[in-house]
Amino acid sequence: MGSSSGPRPRPGPAGGGTYVLEDANSPAHAADSAAAAAAGVCDALECVFDAVAETRRDTAALLTAVAAEDRRPTTADLAGLRPGLHERLARLTLMSGAGFVAAPGLLADAEAWLEWWQTGPGGEARPLLLDLDPEHSPYWDYTHWEWFALARDTGRRAVAGPYVDYLCSDEYSLTLSVPVTVGDRFTGVAAADVYLPDFEAAVMPVLQRLTGPACLVNSRGRVAVSTYANHLAGSLLKGPDFGAVLAGAGGDTGRDPAAGDGGTDRTDGQDVTAGRALAPSGSPSLSGSGPHRHDGLSLRACGDIPLILVTGDG
């Protein structure tokens, strides 16, 4: 997705610094600090997923009301989402953009539509205006972008990226998304953007309190934040079955009752193959609760957030 350019205040830990790691010399520090770091990551992003869930709720209610009138929704109907989107952007500095992205064919007056708002340089909410004409725009078919396909294909929450957001901002970003369904029909996704530098500012202090290097990866091994010199943000960490780690933590491959994963990951966020297995070919299956080990690494799910904390195996 995207957000406008311009200086923005850097957020601190989104959860108010609940998970502070101390007593670094204690015998149980390594395990306790890894668990606390994973909890801190969950704390930082859960507020964004809460906001996305609010957008999903508002959208489902709006579409249900329109359906009760025995008609198809229009772009004008989706304008009813704007007050809530503006409030969420003003409330959460970690979010740089938020909105609802309609499934193709949902609306009566537009084949494709993004009811998307973003934070401007002065902090005001402003719309994202895109040309979605298939004859002129290379981005008209957004259904192949990871943030859309993951939520659609799995029915659960997803973290896409980090990827270069060519859709509008050309910035390195994460997009958090959940599917919106009315009855048993998929109608689109509710989502929010987080600039990668803002996410790093929120979670890097927690990772830096660990005794060794660490990184956060998504369900396909894409590195989101790292203190490893050889695992930079945006790179792929290969080998472990990251989806199984998330499933073993109770996240059903990292997908809560509202989001998802499955496909081919690229840094531009495109070309996702629906339903593809998360595990690399021949990789070991990891299941059960608690941290997992693979080739000298310790893998720990970050609660219900579809990200994994990777540290040296102590």
Side-chain angles (χ1 to χ4, degrees):
M1 298 305 299
S3 296
S4 57
S5 59
R8 302 179 65 247
R10 292 291 187 228
T18 302
Y19 299 98
V20 177
L21 308 183
E22 298 178 348
D23 197 15
N25 296 320
S26 68
H29 172 71
D32 290 347
S33 62
V41 172
C42 180
D43 186 46
L45 281 188
E46 196 63 62
C47 61
V48 180
F49 268 122
D50 286 346
V52 172
E54 292 173 19
T55 301
R56 177 182 59 179
R57 178 204 62 205
D58 289 354
T59 306
L62 184 153
L63 296 178
T64 298
V66 169
E69 299 174 4
D70 196 25
R71 64 179 179 86
R72 293 172 63 192
T74 65
T75 55
D77 290 317
L78 294 185
L81 300 174
R82 294 174 185 176
L85 294 174
H86 295 178
E87 185 277 329
R88 283 159 217 142
L89 286 172
R91 175 177 16 123
L92 293 176
T93 59
L94 191 59
M95 288 196 328
S96 55
F100 170 69
V101 184
L106 173 71
L107 304 178
D109 59 341
E111 176 63 20
W113 187 259
L114 291 84
E115 185 61 46
W116 195 264
W117 290 75
Q118 51 200 14
T119 304
E124 75 285 359
R126 62 187 191 182
L128 170 64
L129 302 176
L130 292 175
D131 179 6
L132 296 177
D133 185 340
E135 295 186 4
H136 303 103
S137 172
Y139 304 123
W140 68 273
D141 186 6
Y142 47 69
T143 62
H144 296 297
W145 287 67
E146 184 184 37
W147 45 263
F148 191 94
L150 294 186
R152 176 197 63 198
D153 296 341
T154 63
R156 299 186 179 274
R157 61 165 60 178
V159 174
Y163 64 100
V164 179
D165 185 5
Y166 293 122
L167 193 61
C168 67
S169 70
D170 291 332
E171 297 284 350
Y172 232 27
S173 303
L174 299 174
T175 299
L176 285 61
S177 59
V178 301
V180 179
T181 58
V182 176
D184 59 356
R185 182 188 180 188
F186 170 75
T187 63
V189 302
D193 281 339
V194 175
Y195 274 155
L196 187 60
D198 290 349
F199 181 56
E200 289 177 332
V203 302
M204 187 65 79
V206 175
L207 299 187
Q208 289 175 333
R209 291 190 180 99
L210 296 171
T211 56
C215 63
L216 293 169
V217 303
N218 69 9
S219 58
R220 292 204 230 359
R222 182 72 63 188
V223 177
V225 178
S226 178
T227 61
Y228 277 98
N230 57 340
H231 296 315
L232 300 179
S235 64
L236 276 173
L237 184 61
K238 299 181 179 180
D241 182 348
F242 297 108
V245 174
L246 295 171
D252 189 19
T253 59
R255 307 163 297 181
D256 84 339
D261 15 65
T264 300
D265 196 343
R266 289 172 40 171
T267 55
D268 60 5
Q270 294 180 289
D271 199 21
V272 176
T273 303
R276 185 170 177 175
L278 294 175
S281 176
S283 65
S285 175
L286 302 173
S287 60
S289 60
H292 304 275
R293 267 71 182 181
H294 179 79
D295 288 347
L297 297 175
S298 178
L299 316 175
R300 183 184 296 269
C302 297
D304 291 331
I305 300 296
L307 288 174
I308 297 166
L309 174 65
V310 181
T311 59
D313 190 349

